[in-house]
């Protein structure tokens, strides 16, 4: 049982350190071309899904 307590203690410490790093890290900007590619591919995916559901009905 003692090993579980030390495991959870280390897990909590690592989680708090990670959260501290993430909270104080300034957000990085997404380059515009990459954002456009991601947004465009998502829209195309939604259109394809919509067409498939209309064809099945």
């Amino acid at each position: 049982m003692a090993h579980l307590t030390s495991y959870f203690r280390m897990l909590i410490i690592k989680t708090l350190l990670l959260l501290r790093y993430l909270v104080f890290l300034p957000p990085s900007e997404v380059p515009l071309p990459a954002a456009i590619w991601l947004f465009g591919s998502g829209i195309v995916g939604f259109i394809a899904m919509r067409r498939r559901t209309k064809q099945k009905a």
Side-chain angles (χ1 to χ4, degrees):
M1 190 71 170
H3 67 284
L4 283 178
T5 306
S6 62
Y7 172 76
F8 286 121
R9 187 176 299 145
M10 286 303 298
L11 184 64
I12 290 171
I13 290 171
K14 287 181 181 181
T15 304
L16 290 175
L17 289 174
L18 178 65
L19 286 175
R20 189 180 92 188
Y21 174 74
L22 291 176
V23 167
F24 293 112
L25 187 67
S28 61
E29 296 181 14
V30 176
L32 189 59
I36 291 172
W37 277 107
L38 288 171
F39 183 74
S41 64
I43 295 296
V44 169
F46 281 130
I47 291 171
M49 284 181 8
R50 188 171 181 187
R51 284 187 178 180
R52 282 187 183 178
T53 56
K54 282 187 175 181
Q55 288 177 355
K56 287 182 181 180

